[in-house]
């Protein structure tokens, strides 16, 4: 069964932020998700330091063509009903995806939903 949400996180040289960004997604209150980290040929080994113990996490290579191409690579692999975008230097609050999915389901004509603190 496909996940409810596919989170696509393109990264190139995510350095000290990537692990926290990934953890903030994997610790969401909405658990029915996949996280696709698209490595745009990072040189800093941040992607290799990720804990691969969570089956919802998938790391895939990209061609160093930039963030848009890396996002498109992840988007092509996404199987979720909804797709969320995440940057390597962002932290998602624990209820982010739950609230966004609830909003989108209550407003089926809405195509895009953002967040602001």
């Amino acid at each position: 069964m496909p996940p409810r949400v596919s989170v696509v996180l393109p990264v190139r040289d995510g350095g000290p932020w990537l692990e926290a960004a990934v953890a903030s997604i994997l610790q969401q209150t909405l658990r029915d998700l996949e996280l696709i980290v698209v490595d745009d040929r990072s040189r800093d080994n941040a992607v290799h330091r990720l804990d691969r113990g969570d089956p919802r996490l998938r790391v895939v290579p990209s061609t160093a063509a930039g963030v848009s191409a890396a996002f498109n690579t992840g988007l092509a692999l996404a199987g979720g009903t909804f797709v969320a975008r995440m940057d390597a230097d962002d932290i998602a609050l624990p209820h982010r995806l739950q609230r966004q999915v609830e909003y989108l389901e209550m407003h089926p004509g809405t195509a895009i939903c953002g967040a602001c603190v």
Side-chain angles (χ1 to χ4, degrees):
M1 176 185 266
R4 200 155 175 210
V5 177
S6 295
V7 180
V8 178
L9 191 161
V11 59
R12 182 164 196 200
D13 300 329
W17 308 284
L18 182 61
E19 289 177 90
V22 166
S24 77
I25 293 298
L26 296 178
Q27 295 169 1
Q28 289 289 298
T29 57
L30 186 143
R31 307 292 297 161
D32 187 11
L33 62 88
E34 68 177 342
L35 173 56
I36 305 167
V37 175
V38 183
D39 180 16
D40 195 34
R41 297 236 177 140
S42 296
R43 298 172 300 241
D44 66 358
N45 279 338
V47 171
H48 300 291
R49 291 191 304 265
L50 292 176
D51 179 359
R52 310 285 174 99
D54 192 317
R56 298 173 301 162
L57 172 63
R58 189 167 27 153
V59 178
V60 297
S62 188
T63 61
V67 68
S68 295
F71 177 75
N72 287 334
T73 296
L75 186 59
L77 297 170
T81 303
F82 300 102
V83 175
R85 171 85 167 72
M86 183 74 175
D87 286 316
D89 61 349
D90 288 344
I91 301 295
L93 294 174
H95 293 89
R96 172 198 166 185
L97 296 176
Q98 183 73 45
R99 289 180 178 168
Q100 288 177 320
V101 166
E102 287 171 358
Y103 182 87
L104 290 167
E105 287 178 340
M106 289 189 313
H107 302 88
T110 303
I112 298 173
C113 178
C116 182
V117 178

